[in-house]
Amino acid sequence: QVQLVESGGGLVQAGGSLRLSCAASGSIFSINAMGWYRQAPGKQRELVASITSGGGTNYRDSVKGRFTISRDNAKNTVYLQMSSLKPEDSTIYYCCAIVERESDHVYINYWGRGTQVTVSS
């Protein structure tokens, strides 16, 4: 019914930049908070950044000053601009969104399938 699709991942050299995008589609009435998580194989998923419907943002300490989260409400899309990338940023990045369903106006947390980011030294 609702799906999130990430894009923009890839291979970049240390110090470079990437911009991740996540577009939500389906029977959506509105979207509350959106965010980005990352998870290395065999490790727990960790919050990278989040943004509320009003534009308030939150970042984990290790990415502050380097990453910027933003959203386009008209397109139901959230972005993660990543700059000054480091090899330790390399992992799979997942998009999440709290979506108000059009059918019953219940808020449900949805996840994308992930996009790979690899930073070479």
Side-chain angles (χ1 to χ4, degrees):
Q1 189 68 194
V2 175
Q3 66 174 0
L4 308 180
V5 179
E6 303 100 331
S7 62
L11 175 64
V12 66
Q13 291 182 311
S17 299
L18 284 173
R19 190 193 192 202
L20 306 184
S21 299
C22 172
S25 62
S27 299
I28 298 170
F29 185 80
S30 68
I31 300 178
N32 196 315
M34 306 185 80
W36 290 94
Y37 286 73
R38 62 189 183 189
Q39 184 174 25
K43 300 189 68 176
Q44 291 187 334
R45 191 168 298 187
E46 62 184 26
L47 174 69
V48 178
S50 63
I51 184 167
T52 68
S53 59
T57 59
N58 185 53
Y59 300 90
R60 70 179 300 106
D61 288 343
S62 62
V63 308
K64 288 181 179 178
R66 300 190 298 122
F67 293 7
T68 301
I69 189 170
S70 61
R71 62 191 288 172
D72 185 335
N73 292 330
K75 297 181 178 180
N76 287 334
T77 299
V78 63
Y79 306 94
L80 186 67
Q81 178 66 50
M82 305 185 293
S83 301
S84 301
L85 282 163
K86 305 174 181 179
E88 49 263 46
D89 296 319
S90 299
T91 188
I92 302 173
Y93 285 71
Y94 296 90
C95 174
C96 66
I98 302 174
V99 176
E100 183 183 13
R101 297 193 300 204
E102 199 167 50
S103 59
D104 57 6
H105 297 277
V106 171
Y107 283 90
I108 301 294
N109 189 6
Y110 289 93
W111 291 89
R113 298 174 69 178
T115 185
Q116 178 71 51
V117 172
T118 304
V119 184
S120 62
S121 60

